[in-house]
């Protein structure tokens, strides 16, 4: 049976894909940076922070981890305007990604913090550092180093998840593929290309995180 | 006729030759202690005899069963030699009794009833018949190691390989295990044991093998080896040079 | 225009939830079978089988599920099969779930200490006998918490099938929103329903994990 794949038909649409890649990268980099920052903050609250805030963070984490990203995105983009909070699709997408990644990163980073030997806290205290200073200067880096691989995997998952942002007209890779297949009806080819682009981005992202890891954690092994 | 015949055995890990032509014949009923520095290849030799490692050259034959890489040969070989490990390696999800019963039932297709009778006898032999229903995590290290011995014995091996079986034990538990091994030796079991218990080796063994850099460097009855070591390396090993 | 009470909204969402549950079950059970096959291939002696298993696992773990859904949906129609959304959804989810479960379970098999393999080898057991009597019984115990935990991911993943037109909870939410113009209420309730499905699974996974750790410490 002749299945006639025709990738040539996509040649005219290269710029569309290029733009899509740019948007997906933007979503991932901005969402990733802010999301991990949120995760660190929440992990700090859960392990060291004010006791009053802990249930709030727990509720947030549980809510996010037990609902689909798609629903979170739709709730933010379609739902919030009806209580007077509107934003553009790019802002909504990034906000959704930050909130989503923040919850997962919180749990991952918390595990890293909890694996810190008690002696590290005591050493910090014995050097007259405050609890926050100890966290910031002694505990955080080795904790991040411990969980860097898990955090990297989560970031890749979040990038893959960002594909649904096309549903609120964010013009990412998936949006490009949707657009192209609606024009030339070469759906299969368009999604194959999109899939390969995601695959390549995932490889780059892992590589980037590895480089960032070696920059952040030069040589030293994490204390156990 | 020797029970275990090891001929010109060579073993490499990558480019690192760990056994450099080992020759050793062990008669039935003989008790052999293998001593030597860390890294001299003692464990590797025992593991080869049990088929846990493949060999690159030479041959190992135990009572007619030849070491080869395929499952049929390995099974035949392992039915003739049992092994006791430094870390016990009991199956944590099974009781002591079940640990002993498992392999006879699975490998030899012995009925559950027979396997249980055998297991009780073997556990009694190591002084643990009252621990039949205990799980490994409810036993002390010494008890676990004795169960491991009973487990190996239940397969009725012709020879037992023991790799530093008391090294992971607290000092006060070492003796209960050595006693069991001593009794086995007295009953005529063929034993090849890597050990650091020099006194035990001297009292119980028929021959002592000193391994050095992948070779059998010196071999002889304990009297000779311990009283008048011939080579510099062995004297150094004893801290005499 | 008809007016919708909150109860109308919830009732319709709950009706659609049946399909979310059904699809989750199909994906989980089918994925379990796929994972078992992939696991056996992945740990087998046959090099080609191992390669194939690795390729399958990396392909489905290394690309977005949404792309897999699109490719099944459009790919199958390309070879002349007219695929309804539910079929493409089920197939893609089964294979996606299988790839992840295979890796989770492989981790559990590999967590069994080498000494267990060596001891059972020295007792003359064959590979199959070792697996059956020594390794799997121990691996299964530690596999339960992460497997239950992954079921949460499966439930959430079913939401993506709405995008290729399968009508489950998420698709129903969009349809109801379009009819009622109450996105805040509709998506809010949808989130709560997902939460009600997923949270018990998450929680039991955590509890099982903790129980296992306590059991371990007593060793
Ligand atoms: N699986 C392996 N892969 C690579 N090298 C190995 C392996 N097992 C052992 N070796 C190497 O083979 C050499 C001999 O090791 P072996 O364990 O036989 O020594 P040993 O005499 O038992 O020492 P010890 O007294 O410390 O137990 C060592 O240099 C070791 O590093
Ligand atoms: Mg050794």
């Amino acid at each position: 049976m002749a299945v006639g794949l025709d990738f040539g038909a996509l040649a005219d649409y290269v710029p569309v894909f290029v733009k899509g890649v740019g948007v997906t990268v933007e979503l991932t980099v901005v969402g990733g940076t802010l999301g991990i920052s949120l995760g660190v903050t929440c992990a700090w609250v859960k392990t060291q922070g004010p006791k009053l805030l802990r249930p709030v963070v727990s509720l947030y984490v549980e809510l996010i981890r037990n609902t689909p990203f798609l629903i979170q995105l739709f709730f933010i983009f379609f739902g919030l305007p009806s209580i007077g909070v509107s934003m553009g699709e790019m802002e909504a997408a990034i906000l959704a990604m930050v909130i989503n990644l923040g919850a997962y990163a919180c749990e991952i980073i918390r595990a890293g913090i909890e694996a810190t030997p008690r002696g590290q806290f005591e050493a910090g205290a014995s050097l007259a550092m405050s609890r926050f200073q100890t966290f910031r200067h002694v505990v955080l880096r080795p904790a991040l180093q411990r969980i860097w691989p898990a955090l990297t995997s989560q970031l890749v998952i979040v990038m893959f998840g960002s594909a649904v942002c096309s549903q609120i007209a964010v013009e990412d890779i998936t949006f490009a593929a949707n657009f192209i297949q609606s024009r030339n009806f070469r759906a299969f080819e368009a999604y194959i290309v999109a899939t390969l682009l995601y695959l390549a981005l995932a490889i780059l992202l892992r590589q980037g995180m590895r480089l960032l890891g070696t920059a952040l954690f030069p040589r030293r092994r994490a204390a156990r | 006729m020797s029970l275990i015949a090891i001929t010109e055995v060579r073993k490499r890990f990558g480019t690192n030759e760990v056994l450099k032509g080992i020759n050793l014949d062990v008669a039935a009923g003989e008790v052999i202690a293998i001593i030597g520095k860390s890294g001299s290849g003692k464990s590797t030799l025992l593991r080869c005899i049990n088929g846990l490692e493949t060999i690159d050259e030479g041959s190992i034959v135990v009572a007619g069963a030849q070491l080869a890489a395929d499952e049929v040969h390995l099974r035949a070989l392992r039915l003739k030699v049992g092994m006791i490990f430094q870390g016990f390696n009991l199956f944590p999800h099974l009781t002591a009794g079940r640990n002993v019963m498992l392999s006879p039932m699975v490998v030899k297709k012995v009925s559950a009833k027979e396997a249980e009778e055998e297991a009780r006898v073997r556990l009694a032999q190591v002084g643990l018949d009252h621990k039949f229903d205990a799980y490994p995590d409810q036993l002390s290290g010494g008890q676990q190691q004795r169960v491991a011995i009973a487990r190996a014995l239940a397969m009725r091996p012709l020879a037992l390989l023991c790799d530093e079986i008391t090294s992971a034990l607290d000092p006060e538990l070492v003796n209960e295990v050595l006693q069991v091994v001593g009794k086995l030796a007295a009953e005529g079991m063929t034993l090849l044991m890597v050990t650091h218990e020099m006194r035990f080796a001297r009292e119980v063994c028929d021959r002592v093998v000193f391994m050095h850099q992948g070779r059998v460097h010196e071999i002889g009855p304990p009297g000779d080896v311990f009283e008048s070591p011939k080579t510099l390396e062995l004297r150094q090993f004893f801290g005499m040079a | 225009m008809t007016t919708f009470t909150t109860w109308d909204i919830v009732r319709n969402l709950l009706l659609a939830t049946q399909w979310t549950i059904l699809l989750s079950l199909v994906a989980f059970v089918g994925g379990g079978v796929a994972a078992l096959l992939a696991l056996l291939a992945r740990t087998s002696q046959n090099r080609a089988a191992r390669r194939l298993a690795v390729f399958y696992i990396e392909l489905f773990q290394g690309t977005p599920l949404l792309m897999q859904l699109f490719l099944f949906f459009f790919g199958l129609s390309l070879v002349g099969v007219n695929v309804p959304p539910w079929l493409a959804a089920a197939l893609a989810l089964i294979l996606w779930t299988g790839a992840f479960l295979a890796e989770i379970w492989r981790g559990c098999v590999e967590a069994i200490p080498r000494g267990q393999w060596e001891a059972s080898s020295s007792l003359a057991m064959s590979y199959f006998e070792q697996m059956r009597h020594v390794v799997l019984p121990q691996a299964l115990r530690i596999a339960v918490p992460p497997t239950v935990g992954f079921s949460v991911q499966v439930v959430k993943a079913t939401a993506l099938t709405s995008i290729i037109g399968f009508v489950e909870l998420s698709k129903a939410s969009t349809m109801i929103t379009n009819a009622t113009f109450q996105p805040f209420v509709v998506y809010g309730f949808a989130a709560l329903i997902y939460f009600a499905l997923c949270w018990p699974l998450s929680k039991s996974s955590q509890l099982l994990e903790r129980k296992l750790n306590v059991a371990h410490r007593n060793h």
Side-chain angles (χ1 to χ4, degrees):
Chain A
M1 174 181 45
V3 173
L5 283 181
D6 181 8
F7 288 97
L10 298 180
D12 294 344
Y13 295 101
V14 169
V16 184
F17 271 126
V18 171
K19 172 153 193 242
V21 169
V23 171
T24 295
V25 169
E26 184 184 346
L27 284 176
T28 308
V29 171
V30 179
T33 313
L34 296 177
I36 290 174
S37 312
L38 179 61
V40 170
T41 312
C42 290
W44 173 75
V45 170
K46 279 198 88 166
T47 53
Q48 316 272 305
K51 289 227 159 59
L52 272 175
L53 277 182
R54 290 186 195 177
V56 181
V57 171
S58 294
L59 183 68
Y60 152 65
V61 169
E62 294 290 317
L63 264 180
I64 296 304
R65 280 160 45 100
N66 288 294
T67 50
F69 178 63
L70 183 72
I71 294 291
Q72 294 159 15
L73 181 71
F74 283 3
F75 186 81
I76 288 172
F77 187 69
F78 297 118
L80 288 188
S82 59
I83 57 166
V85 186
S86 340
M87 57 195 102
E89 54 282 338
M90 200 62 190
E91 289 75 27
I94 287 176
L95 180 63
M97 287 179 70
V98 169
I99 288 178
N100 186 271
L101 177 58
Y104 287 93
C106 170
E107 287 305 285
I108 294 172
I109 295 165
R110 187 171 63 93
I113 294 171
E114 283 173 355
T116 305
R118 169 183 284 272
Q120 295 286 306
F121 289 98
E122 290 170 354
S126 77
L127 295 167
M129 287 193 230
S130 72
R131 280 173 64 83
F132 183 74
Q133 286 169 326
T134 305
F135 175 79
R136 164 77 186 75
H137 298 286
V138 179
V139 173
L140 184 57
R141 239 180 228 227
L144 284 177
Q145 182 174 13
R146 255 175 235 123
I147 50 82
W148 202 247
L151 205 55
T152 302
S153 304
Q154 191 60 44
L155 203 54
V156 172
I157 290 174
V158 165
M159 183 187 75
F160 288 167
S162 76
V164 308
C165 297
S166 59
Q167 295 304 300
I168 60 168
V170 169
E171 300 183 10
D172 69 345
I173 296 174
T174 308
F175 184 89
N178 289 343
F179 173 80
I180 293 164
Q181 73 98 0
S182 71
R183 287 298 183 83
N184 69 3
F185 305 106
R186 287 280 165 194
F188 195 71
E189 291 89 332
Y191 289 114
I192 286 278
V193 171
T195 304
L196 292 176
L197 288 173
Y198 279 110
L199 197 64
L201 280 186
I203 292 169
L204 285 177
L205 182 57
R206 286 212 179 84
Q207 203 60 37
M209 283 295 276
R210 194 168 308 141
L211 287 177
L212 187 59
T214 44
L216 282 176
F217 320 116
R219 299 271 215 131
R220 282 171 290 112
R221 289 187 56 85
R224 267 155 223 286
Chain B
M1 244 296 281
S2 51
L3 179 68
I4 303 176
I6 302 167
T7 316
E8 284 301 320
V9 165
R10 285 173 184 274
K11 168 71 185 170
R12 282 180 287 272
F13 288 111
T15 55
N16 178 17
E17 193 169 40
V18 174
L19 299 180
K20 300 171 182 162
I22 301 278
N23 288 293
L24 182 64
D25 285 340
V26 183
E30 230 186 335
V31 177
I32 299 212
I34 302 174
I35 60 175
K37 278 199 306 203
S38 179
S40 55
K42 309 179 296 289
S43 297
T44 306
L45 178 60
L46 284 201
R47 293 165 59 82
C48 286
I49 300 173
N50 202 229
L52 292 176
E53 308 280 0
T54 55
I55 56 177
D56 297 309
E57 281 171 44
S59 78
I60 296 179
V61 184
V62 180
Q66 171 114 25
L67 171 64
D70 60 293
E71 281 229 353
V72 179
H73 278 90
L74 281 178
R75 193 175 173 107
L77 178 73
R78 286 167 177 162
L79 283 170
K80 306 221 156 126
V81 269
M83 182 145 179
I84 322 286
F85 302 84
Q86 182 174 344
F88 328 137
N89 295 345
L90 291 186
F91 306 135
H93 62 300
L94 301 177
T95 60
R98 285 268 157 195
N99 260 279
V100 182
M101 288 164 65
L102 180 64
S103 202
M105 286 171 63
V106 167
V107 176
K108 291 186 164 175
K109 313 292 178 211
V110 171
S111 73
K113 191 161 155 293
E114 267 177 83
E116 185 181 333
E117 278 167 21
E118 171 84 13
R120 288 196 188 279
V121 171
R122 295 304 169 188
L123 283 175
Q125 199 176 352
V126 299
L128 287 173
D129 34 344
H130 58 295
K131 292 292 187 187
F132 190 93
D133 291 315
Y135 280 90
D137 60 3
Q138 298 167 318
L139 299 174
S140 73
Q143 291 172 329
Q144 288 188 50
Q145 194 59 295
R146 282 147 68 198
V147 173
I149 294 173
R151 182 174 72 176
L153 289 175
M155 292 297 280
R156 314 234 174 142
L158 299 175
L160 271 188
L161 311 170
C162 307
D163 189 3
E164 299 194 32
I165 60 172
T166 56
S167 295
L169 295 177
D170 293 337
E172 69 272 18
L173 300 177
V174 167
N175 266 334
E176 64 182 61
V177 173
L178 288 183
Q179 265 171 21
V180 168
V181 178
K183 211 171 76 181
L184 284 176
E187 287 164 3
M189 174 60 85
T190 310
L191 289 168
L192 237 76
M193 43 194 306
V194 174
T195 185
H196 294 308
E197 303 289 335
M198 293 304 164
R199 190 141 62 92
F200 181 79
R202 183 180 277 199
E203 284 166 7
V204 175
C205 294
D206 302 308
R207 279 194 292 167
V208 176
V209 173
F210 171 61
M211 285 189 65
H212 184 69
Q213 294 183 347
R215 294 202 169 84
V216 174
H217 203 71
E218 206 172 321
I219 182 167
D224 296 359
V225 169
F226 286 109
E227 304 308 333
S228 48
K230 288 193 216 33
T231 60
L232 177 65
E233 288 78 10
L234 183 52
R235 280 199 293 275
Q236 276 173 343
F237 179 72
F238 286 141
M240 301 189 329
Chain C
M1 195 185 99
T2 48
T3 52
F4 288 81
T5 63
T6 306
W7 169 239
D8 287 328
I9 292 174
V10 173
R11 192 169 46 93
N12 282 299
L13 287 176
L14 285 175
L15 282 174
T17 304
Q18 296 175 58
W19 294 102
T20 292
I21 294 174
L22 184 66
L23 184 58
S24 302
L25 285 175
V26 168
F28 197 68
V29 173
V33 175
L36 206 58
L37 294 176
L39 178 67
L40 288 178
R42 182 77 178 72
T43 54
S44 84
Q45 317 281 354
N46 186 324
R47 172 184 283 248
R50 277 203 312 265
R51 287 248 173 93
L52 193 69
V54 170
F55 178 74
Y56 157 64
I57 291 167
E58 303 232 314
L59 187 68
F60 280 85
Q61 284 199 345
T63 56
L65 174 59
L66 184 57
M67 294 303 113
Q68 295 163 25
L69 284 164
F70 278 136
L71 287 174
F72 270 93
F73 189 57
F74 291 109
L76 287 178
S77 20
L78 199 67
V79 294
V81 191
N82 194 3
V83 263
W86 65 263
L87 184 58
L91 281 177
L93 273 177
I94 284 173
L95 290 175
W96 179 82
T97 305
F100 279 88
L101 283 181
E103 276 303 272
I104 292 175
W105 293 349
R106 188 170 69 93
C108 296
V109 167
E110 282 178 357
I112 304 304
R114 218 169 51 126
Q116 295 290 308
W117 288 97
E118 294 189 342
S120 44
S121 287
S122 80
L123 292 166
M125 289 188 211
S126 66
Y127 174 79
F128 181 76
E129 289 160 354
Q130 292 176 294
M131 267 290 187
R132 161 80 184 73
H133 295 284
V134 177
V135 176
L136 281 187
Q138 296 180 59
L140 272 180
R141 242 168 57 95
I142 54 175
V144 172
T147 303
V148 174
F150 187 72
S151 69
V152 176
Q153 307 302 323
V154 176
V155 175
K156 289 189 295 177
T158 61
L160 291 192
T161 64
S162 64
I163 297 175
I164 59 166
F166 179 66
V167 183
E168 38 61 80
L169 180 50
S170 296
K171 183 75 183 173
S173 308
T174 300
M175 287 156 58
I176 296 169
T177 298
N178 290 341
T180 62
F181 305 107
Q182 296 190 56
F184 188 85
V185 177
V186 176
Y187 289 121
F189 272 115
L192 286 180
I193 295 175
Y194 276 113
F195 186 82
L197 292 177
C198 293
W199 190 76
L201 293 170
S202 300
K203 217 54 205 167
S204 35
S205 163
Q206 276 170 19
L207 290 178
L208 288 165
E209 174 94 49
R210 209 163 301 155
K211 220 169 92 184
L212 203 63
N213 285 341
V214 171
H216 255 270
R217 219 167 294 131
N218 289 342
H219 272 205

